[in-house]
């Protein structure tokens, strides 16, 4: 039974490392993008996500002190669950030569 315990602990750790794709939590404001191409602009993201629900209410790329992209962005849909769900369908889509890694944003 000892090996079984190790396997389940490893499975739990692996599950925790994966993004939660089960669905947005109540009050989920939108999606977080990771691994974003440094060439991508907020206008690119607005264009990419504009067909999701009613379209994004806000797009924000995180930048360092010099104003350079950190490769991470938030796309908010203002409690438009359809927008958030539609956005998640773009997970893995190429933007400026890099796949989008999306996960649900946590409610504030």
């Amino acid at each position: 039974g000892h090996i079984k315990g190790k396997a389940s602990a490893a499975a739990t750790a692996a599950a925790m490392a994966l993004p939660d794709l089960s669905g947005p939590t109540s009050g989920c404001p939108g999606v977080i993008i990771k691994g974003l191409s440094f060439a991508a602009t907020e206008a690119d993201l607005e264009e990419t996500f504009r067909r999701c629900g009613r379209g994004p209410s806000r797009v924000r790329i995180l930048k360092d002190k010099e104003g350079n992209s950190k490769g991470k962005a938030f796309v908010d849909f203002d409690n438009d669950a359809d927008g958030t769900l539609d956005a998640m369908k773009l997970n893995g889509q190429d933007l400026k030569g890099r796949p989008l890694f999306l996960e649900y944003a946590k409610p504030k």
Side-chain angles (χ1 to χ4, degrees):
H2 187 67
I3 293 168
K4 195 174 182 181
K6 276 189 174 174
S8 64
T12 302
M16 288 171 69
L18 293 170
D20 177 15
L21 302 179
S22 60
T25 53
S26 174
C28 171
V31 296
I32 299 171
I33 304 169
K34 295 180 178 173
L36 184 65
S37 167
F38 294 133
T41 64
E42 290 177 353
D44 292 327
L45 294 176
E46 283 174 13
E47 176 63 25
T48 300
F49 291 98
R50 73 184 169 91
R51 289 186 196 87
C52 301
R54 297 188 296 269
S57 56
R58 189 172 116 170
V59 174
R60 187 167 56 102
I61 294 176
L62 296 185
K63 299 184 171 151
D64 63 19
K65 289 184 294 217
E66 285 77 46
N68 300 312
S69 169
K70 289 183 171 185
K72 189 172 176 180
F74 293 96
V75 180
D76 291 346
F77 289 95
D78 205 20
N79 293 321
D80 175 9
D82 290 336
T84 304
L85 289 168
D86 289 346
M88 288 304 288
K89 293 175 187 165
L90 300 177
N91 197 23
Q93 178 178 308
D94 181 85
L95 178 64
K96 301 281 183 185
R98 290 189 60 125
L100 296 172
F101 291 104
L102 304 177
E103 56 189 69
Y104 293 109
K106 304 273 185 282
K108 290 180 177 69

